[in-house]
Amino acid sequence: MVFLMILLFSYLQMSQQIQKTMVNGKEMLSNPRLKPLQGTLNVEMNQNVTLSCNSDSGSPPVRYTLFKRNQKVSTLNRPDLTPSLFNLTINSASDLGEYKCKAENNNTSGGKYSNSLSFTLLEPISKPVLSSPTSQAKKGQNVTLSCLSENGSLPITYIFFKGTQSISSQVMMHKEAAEIVLFINSSSDFGTYKCRAENGFRRNAKYSNGFNFTLAEERRLSQPLIISLGLIVLLFAIGLALAIPFFIIPSYKAKKFKPTRPSTGFTSTPNVEEPEDEVIYSEIMPVKPEEEYINFPVLRREDEKDKRVCATVYSKVLSRD
């Protein structure tokens, strides 16, 4: 009994569905589908695009109407269920949508509407800039390269090259720069590097400037250090030149002319140009006012055996008139 009731209920549902889909012996249209023929909703300014609208089932002929923000754009009639193609040109931001299409035939009251869609305007990317914190490297060192395109719709995809060969996989970034770390192992790693940026269309891909690393010289003194050392040497030379006449020469003369034979009541003054045994002795006496000393040299023979002659100078006090 229960089984018979289930069969009866299923039969009634199928009958109602057939009545809904068939009017006067003809099948009603299904809801159409609206999609971009190019496969993407990303577009550029002044780009031509095509929208496809079609119902998968229903009795032809079919009339398709495209709407943009509930305003009629165009109408196409199809004798069969093949898609209708609507050609558009994106000239301004208002052309981005929202779009819908409606399918009608003689058996559909009010028509059937499709899904809605809108385009996304792509801003062309600017030329990317390839840079590094350092332009010099040495073997065995890790270096970093950064690639950034400052303008363009996001996300942006980057890839790095050395010469014409790619050295990284594609990296998708939103606002940050793409980076790659390289290990400088040999002289061949000092080649020319580039990067490429794109944001949706390969025909819009742009390449950066070339970047080359130079070999850093080891044990190389920096220019500020060389200047500092030069100033230190110059100051030392100036100080030495100033010290010679004021300190070194007087000290040397004092040691050179120091008396070698002290004598009671006399001072000795060596003569540089005379032999060591020729010494001039002067008697030291108090100096009185209005008196002057006059030296009288007297030659005497110090040693008869060696026959050396010594000069002795005696001083006499004279009074002024």
Side-chain angles (χ1 to χ4, degrees), residues 5-23:
M5 291 180 64
I6 294 175
L7 289 177
L8 180 60
F9 181 74
S10 300
Y11 175 76
L12 291 175
Q13 281 188 332
M14 292 178 62
S15 299
Q16 291 177 358
Q17 185 175 3
I18 292 173
Q19 289 178 358
K20 288 181 180 180
T21 57
M22 299 291 293
V23 178

Side-chain angles (χ1 to χ4, degrees), residues 208-232:
S208 72
N209 55 300
F211 189 93
N212 293 80
F213 291 102
T214 57
L215 181 62
E217 297 181 6
E218 298 182 359
R219 297 180 180 179
R220 181 180 178 181
L221 294 176
S222 62
Q223 186 175 2
L225 181 59
I226 294 175
I227 295 175
S228 300
L229 291 176
L231 290 176
I232 292 174

